[in-house]
Amino acid sequence: MGVFTVTVVALDAACERYLGCDILAVALVAIIGAKMWSWFGQDLLTAYSPTPQVIVKAEDEERCRDLSGRRKFNYEAEWGKSHTSVPCWDPATLFYLGELKAHSEADVHKIIERAR
């Protein structure tokens, strides 16, 4: 018999003698236990799976508590004024945030094709 066969027979005999069951049952329980540990058990001893830490430093304007004197968005005056840009504002305070380029129909089709 080969080395592998001798090892398996010896492990089977040891499992039968000390545990009272077959080596296949022990192997099955060990595999299921390892899988369950990888799913649930690791969180018992350590923190949850590592989450990348993202640090974004606030600019001076973002840290400023006094927002008086800031430009407010005026819907009647600014909406639809330009066909090449879209005005952006904070809906809670109506503070003007800036403008983004408005995409044409051809731009949208190019973006969709690139995404596919």
Side-chain angles (χ1 to χ4, degrees), residues 67 72 90-95:
L67 299 175
K72 295 263 188 174
D90 181 352
T93 62
L94 290 181
F95 288 125

Side-chain angles (χ1 to χ4, degrees), residues 2 5 12 14-15 17-19 29-30 36 39 41 49-50 59-60 69 71 73 79-80 87 90-91 103 108 114:
T5 308
D12 187 37
C15 286
R17 181 175 180 192
Y18 296 112
L19 300 175
V29 168
M36 296 296 281
W39 286 342
S49 61
E59 300 292 327
D60 290 335
R71 177 181 169 192
F73 182 76
W79 191 257
D90 181 352
H103 292 288
V108 172
R114 226 178 326 163

Side-chain angles (χ1 to χ4, degrees), residues 71 73-74 77-90 95-103:
R71 177 181 169 192
F73 182 76
N74 184 346
E78 297 187 49
W79 191 257
K81 177 175 71 171
S82 172
H83 293 293
T84 60
S85 65
V86 177
C88 301
W89 68 94
D90 181 352
F95 288 125
Y96 186 76
L97 301 175
E99 294 182 351
L100 292 174
K101 178 184 174 254
H103 292 288

Side-chain angles (χ1 to χ4, degrees), residues 7-17 21-24:
T7 305
V8 170
V9 169
L11 285 173
D12 187 37
C15 286
E16 191 70 40
R17 181 175 180 192
C21 59
D22 192 45
I23 183 96
L24 293 177

Side-chain angles (χ1 to χ4, degrees), residues 5-67:
T5 308
V6 170
T7 305
V8 170
V9 169
L11 285 173
D12 187 37
C15 286
E16 191 70 40
R17 181 175 180 192
Y18 296 112
L19 300 175
C21 59
D22 192 45
I23 183 96
L24 293 177
V26 173
L28 183 62
V29 168
I31 290 170
I32 291 172
K35 195 57 152 172
M36 296 296 281
W37 177 260
S38 71
W39 286 342
F40 306 113
Q42 63 185 349
D43 294 335
L44 297 174
L45 300 178
T46 61
Y48 292 104
S49 61
T51 305
Q53 185 177 9
V54 178
I55 298 173
V56 178
K57 295 191 181 211
E59 300 292 327
D60 290 335
E61 282 188 349
E62 295 169 328
R63 275 191 246 113
C64 180
R65 296 275 179 192
D66 179 27
L67 299 175

